[in-house]
Amino acid sequence: MRLERAPHVLYVAWGFPPARGGGVYRALATVNAFACRGFRVTVLTADRAALRRYTGLDTSLEARIDPRVTVRRVPFSWPARDSELRRWGVWRALFPRVWWRARKGLDLLAFPEYGYGPWRRPLESAAQQVHEHDPVDLVVASANPNVDFMAADALARRGVPYLLDYRDAWMLDVFGGGLLHPQGGRVDRIERRLLAGATQVWFVNDPIRDWHRSRHPGVADRMHVVANGYDPQYAPAPRVDQAPEGRPLIFGYLGTVTSKVPLQEFAHGWRLARAGDPWLADATADLWGYLGFYATPDPDLLALVDGHAADGMAYRGPVPKHEVGDRYAEFDVALLILGSGRYVTSGKVFEYATSALPIVSVHDPGNAASDVLRGYPLWFPVADLRPESIAEALSAAGRAARSASIQTRRDCREYAERFRRDLQLDPRVCELYRQITGRDAPDPDPPPQVTQEGRQSAGSSTSGATRPRHVVVLRGPSGHEDPAMTLTRARKRLRVRPDDTVTILTWPTRHPWPAAARALMTTLTRTTLSRADVVVTTDRIGQATAWTFARMRPGSPVVTGWEAGAVRLADAGDGTAQRRPRPEGDAERQPAGRASRSNSEPSTRAE
């Protein structure tokens, strides 16, 4: 049947701009590709408040959404990660472990995915509403989370074809190669049913597609590879010049570091390379992006980086997308540090290749990223993950940064041209247009260009406010850690600015509720908390005090946990949290390092 009107695509992705994360760029590029080829596009995604609370925002990406695309945000709640104590019930505050086990069970009732399962019903309802208002001709569901697929399942019952875009595998452990869920279990049954009914299934590389083809031979002819590639508008300008003499070399990493990434192995190899190679004696290793999946740096990963500060290794923080090119321009060598596994590629590998920089691959040689970089003129892969092998690759790359010719660097950029994302997406989008409408897709109609000033304006909110803030950290007995160490960790984890005040409150007892009651009876504690912009807790004793205070003062700015504190600080930085006026006659803030202690009041440490 020939469709005369412009086809309507419903695109479903929990993470969509302004969410931050590697998968967001694939979602953004796919949506824009459909819009440029004549599709009418509606996006279903999580609401902004949820994205801000759970992943953090990169608002510069919103300016990149094609203005012809309609974005509909579906409310999303993640109780297990809810940081606002005033919304906690007594059961959760008193028995957090019991509450957590019950919460996990509730998450899985509607859909077998922790945290995201309850979103199935609101998502299906939103998809049906979109279809009733404007009939949908194709659903494109991009996972993970895999609950995104259920919007496609809901409209498939009404005869709407759908496409499944796997940004990650569901059953396959891409790092270990085994199964993440039991054979014949609930996840397996749902995936088999969804794959059987899909018009097309996209994967990011050949190994993942081939694994699924062997497991689902009846769907093999509908499975395709649509590699991530790089976006030309975000790609760094190629470095065709050699690293200048007379200054230390800068080795740079840009991306998300998780527990799967061999960061510790790299740190050991980096220390060995600096000690054994005079070319690298004063070199630095700068890590840009995120340590962990969420807005706050993972404490274990941050501690690992801090432990190698003397070796010139440092975490520099997240980078808005419009500033990525500036970071690459500072690098002399690019560090590609990836988790092991033949199914792992990472979208960053394509962007790295466009930089024309020497690239050091610190990952299992069998990693799928090796297939992408094999043939890149300035590629320096490690033979294995032993420190000696990593140090050897680092040394070779450092020398290449000083000596590689202009022609070699041009060859690097030419090699990368084949990995442009539009070259991956456009043929598939055109094929879908022909299948739906019976005619060829119109010529590309790109959206209006966004000016550099517009991009900077869109991303300006990520820089944070300039006013100082007062951050109070509540913790239990000081025996497990020196207060000075807590203060140092608080400043690093929460990314507190130099003009902010950080106060640490501790109590001598190890019993949460007596400590909370005793603390809140003191004038010092009540006064300190009432003047705070952000209250953060590090353990159950601090949590009990903060929860009690939140009940006593409904308007108090109380949150819990290291991560929650960072989220709240980020909120204050983008203007969504307003500072409450302090009482008249308020005393000056405590000087740096001042501390007080008595038998009747908690100890206080401020900076």
Side-chain angles (χ1 to χ4, degrees), residues 198-436:
T199 297
Q200 289 188 21
V201 186
W202 292 356
F203 298 99
V204 296
N205 60 38
D206 289 309
I208 296 179
R209 180 198 58 183
D210 294 343
W211 185 91
H212 284 84
R213 278 183 168 178
S214 63
R215 184 175 169 80
H216 307 277
V219 194
D221 60 334
R222 286 174 271 159
M223 294 182 176
H224 307 281
V225 171
V226 180
N228 279 316
Y230 70 90
D231 301 293
Q233 65 270 34
Y234 301 133
R239 272 285 293 277
V240 296
D241 58 322
Q242 298 172 356
E245 299 286 348
R247 72 158 176 81
L249 290 173
I250 300 175
F251 288 66
Y253 172 90
L254 204 158
T256 299
V257 178
T258 69
S259 60
K260 300 292 187 179
V261 170
L263 188 61
Q264 185 167 3
E265 291 86 343
F266 165 76
H268 292 164
W270 174 255
R271 174 178 290 173
L272 190 63
R274 288 223 333 166
D277 188 343
W279 287 56
L280 306 184
D282 55 357
T284 60
D286 294 342
L287 307 181
W288 291 90
Y290 288 85
L291 297 181
F293 291 112
Y294 303 106
T296 302
D298 180 278
D300 295 330
L301 295 173
L302 187 61
L304 173 60
V305 175
D306 289 344
H308 289 268
D311 302 318
M313 187 172 167
Y315 172 57
R316 302 299 185 186
V319 182
K321 193 63 174 177
H322 67 277
E323 296 180 6
V324 165
D326 297 334
R327 300 287 78 77
Y328 280 106
E330 299 172 355
F331 298 166
D332 299 309
V333 177
L335 299 170
L336 186 66
I337 313 174
L338 299 176
S340 299
R342 63 182 296 264
Y343 303 103
V344 179
T345 301
S346 173
K348 279 296 171 187
V349 64
F350 307 104
E351 190 175 88
Y352 271 42
T354 67
S355 69
L357 292 168
I359 299 174
V360 180
S361 279
V362 184
H363 54 71
D364 176 6
N367 188 299
S370 298
D371 298 331
V372 177
L373 289 175
R374 193 172 289 111
Y376 182 80
L378 291 177
W379 182 43
F380 299 90
V382 301
D384 50 54
L385 292 178
R386 293 182 301 112
E388 295 79 8
S389 300
I390 295 174
E392 182 179 348
L394 291 169
S395 296
R399 284 174 166 74
R402 300 283 195 196
S403 60
S405 67
I406 293 177
Q407 184 58 49
T408 299
R409 292 178 180 270
R410 287 175 175 167
D411 292 343
C412 289
R413 186 55 185 263
E414 182 178 350
Y415 177 85
E417 282 293 323
R418 69 191 71 183
F419 301 121
R420 279 174 35 189
R421 198 193 298 268
D422 56 339
L423 298 181
Q424 312 295 321
L425 282 171
D426 195 59
R428 291 296 164 200
V429 171
C430 291
E431 178 185 346
L432 289 168
Y433 193 96
R434 285 192 296 271
Q435 289 180 3
I436 295 172

